[in-house]
């Protein structure tokens, strides 16, 4: 498995919500690589090459597919780290697979069989985001689609379950359930989104990032997913729930200490 080479620590998928340009992507990647190298955290750079699921038609969707994918490729080659991006259409799978190491299936699309199969057939690692409308148990079927397509490299990412119209709740009972199907990642930042706001711009509760992350690490999650930016207030997508880049090292330092404590009890 691409991201399971250091069993003593969780792995990390982190980066901006969307690729806004080369300079910002390289700046964020360089900072995170320096932190994860210091803390011995296996790292995958995350960035969406386009944003297809938007509340409003005038929301930012991207800088151009090929342009953004080439930036992801450059990040991977420059810093020697794997990269992940989400895909939304069957035609995206082969295109994105030329540039990145992990293909991510968005939560709203994880039941789209054609999309999951197309991604799996590229041979890349497939990160399946649990639908906000799905139980942990139902994710075994998404994983099985990947396996039945000849690909044994699947990951599951939990990003909360819809609770009411404008809130998501993380049920940590789902971690051991889904770990029986595939390695599990906790999407810390998206699970704190507050969608369906009257403004058409998704809100969030970033002050709760550490609470969710700590609980996930204590409950033996395999990886963490954190969207981060050096200027969340002016990010072009999901700024309301992203972690400020300046806070990442302190958070990961504390989480790594918690993981080591948990491992000491289990050994």
């Amino acid at each position: 498995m691409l991201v399971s080479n250091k069993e003593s620590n969780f792995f990390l998928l982190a980066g901006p919500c969307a690729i806004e340009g080369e300079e910002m992507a390289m700046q964020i990647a360089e900072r995170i690589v320096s932190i994860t190298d210091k803390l011995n955290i296996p790292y995958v750079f995350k960035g969406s090459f386009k944003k297809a699921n938007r509340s409003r038609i005038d929301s930012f969707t991207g800088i151009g597919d090929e342009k953004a994918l080439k930036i992801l490729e450059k990040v991977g080659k420059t810093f020697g780290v794997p990269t992940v991006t989400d895909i939304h259409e069957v035609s995206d799978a082969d295109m994105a697979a030329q540039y990145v190491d992990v293909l991510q299936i968005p939560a709203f699309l994880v039941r789209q069989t054609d999309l999951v199969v197309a991604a799996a057939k590229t041979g890349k690692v497939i990160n399946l985001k649990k639908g906000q409308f799905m139980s942990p148990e139902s994710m075994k079927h998404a994983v099985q689609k990947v396996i039945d397509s000849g690909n044994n490299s699947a990951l599951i990412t939990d990003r909360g379950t819809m609770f009411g119209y404008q809130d998501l709740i993380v049920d940590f009972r789902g971690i051991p359930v889904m770990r029986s199907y595939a390695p599990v990642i906790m999407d810390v930042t998206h699970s704190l989104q507050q969608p369906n706001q009257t403004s058409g711009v998704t809100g969030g509760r970033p002050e709760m990032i550490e609470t969710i992350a700590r609980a996930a690490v204590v409950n033996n999650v395999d990886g963490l997913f954190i969207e981060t930016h050096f200027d969340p207030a002016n990010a072009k997508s999901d700024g309301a729930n992203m972690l400020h880049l300046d806070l990442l090292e302190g958070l990961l330092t504390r989480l790594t200490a918690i993981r080591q404590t948990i491992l000491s009890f289990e050994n």
Side-chain angles (χ1 to χ4, degrees):
M1 180 64 66
L2 177 71
V3 289
S4 62
N5 57 320
K6 298 177 183 176
E7 295 179 354
S8 63
N9 211 348
F10 52 83
F11 57 85
L12 176 70
L13 279 66
C17 177
I19 300 298
E20 302 169 10
E22 182 177 316
E23 183 179 356
M24 65 83 69
M26 297 295 283
Q27 180 180 342
I28 293 172
E30 182 177 25
R31 183 83 172 273
I32 301 176
V33 166
S34 69
I35 295 169
T36 53
D37 281 352
K38 183 189 304 184
L39 297 174
N40 199 32
I41 298 173
Y43 173 52
V44 181
F45 177 83
K46 182 271 168 187
S48 297
F49 77 94
K50 68 177 177 182
K51 301 299 296 182
N53 175 28
R54 302 285 82 191
S55 297
R56 301 189 329 201
I57 198 169
D58 60 348
S59 296
F60 174 79
T61 57
I63 60 173
D65 294 356
E66 188 174 12
K67 183 177 180 180
L69 286 167
K70 285 183 175 179
I71 290 171
L72 283 162
E73 182 181 46
K74 183 173 181 178
V75 167
K77 290 181 176 179
T78 300
F79 299 105
V81 296
T83 54
V84 56
T85 198
D86 39 333
I87 61 173
H88 304 85
E89 303 176 41
V90 169
S91 59
D92 289 344
D94 285 336
M95 176 178 64
Q98 298 177 53
Y99 300 94
V100 302
D101 304 285
V102 183
L103 297 179
Q104 181 170 286
I105 307 298
F108 283 123
L109 299 176
V110 75
R111 289 194 61 183
Q112 297 295 104
T113 300
D114 288 350
L115 181 61
V116 173
V117 170
K121 286 185 174 180
T122 67
K124 299 290 184 176
V125 175
I126 308 302
N127 184 25
L128 303 160
K129 302 200 82 174
K130 187 184 81 66
Q132 301 93 321
F133 47 87
M134 294 171 67
S135 69
E137 290 80 4
S138 64
M139 285 302 295
K140 67 182 176 183
H141 303 300
V143 172
Q144 194 62 47
K145 288 177 185 178
V146 175
I147 295 171
D148 289 345
S149 300
N151 187 332
N152 292 316
S153 298
L155 306 168
I156 300 173
T157 294
D158 191 358
R159 54 154 299 159
T161 300
M162 189 63 73
F163 186 83
Y165 292 113
Q166 295 176 326
D167 209 358
L168 294 162
I169 296 295
V170 176
D171 182 354
F172 290 98
R173 296 175 299 177
I175 292 178
V177 171
M178 292 186 290
R179 287 187 82 209
S180 68
Y181 315 138
V184 173
I185 302 163
M186 175 56 66
D187 184 342
V188 179
T189 47
H190 282 112
S191 66
L192 293 167
Q193 279 187 336
Q194 293 183 312
N196 304 320
Q197 301 294 312
T198 55
S199 64
V201 178
T202 298
R205 300 190 65 189
E207 72 278 4
M208 300 296 292
I209 286 172
E210 185 152 349
T211 298
I212 298 296
R214 284 187 178 208
V217 169
V218 166
N219 284 286
N220 292 317
V221 77
D222 297 285
L224 296 174
F225 180 111
I226 299 174
E227 287 190 340
T228 183
H229 196 287
F230 48 78
D231 187 11
N234 291 300
K236 295 183 182 296
S237 179
D238 280 2
N241 55 271
M242 276 199 277
L243 180 72
H244 197 292
L245 190 57
D246 288 346
L247 301 177
L248 184 63
E249 183 170 358
L251 173 64
L252 292 176
T253 299
R254 292 186 292 275
L255 295 176
T256 298
I258 292 171
R259 170 51 61 93
Q260 294 306 313
T261 300
I262 297 298
L263 289 173
S264 72
F265 288 137
E266 296 179 347
N267 293 333

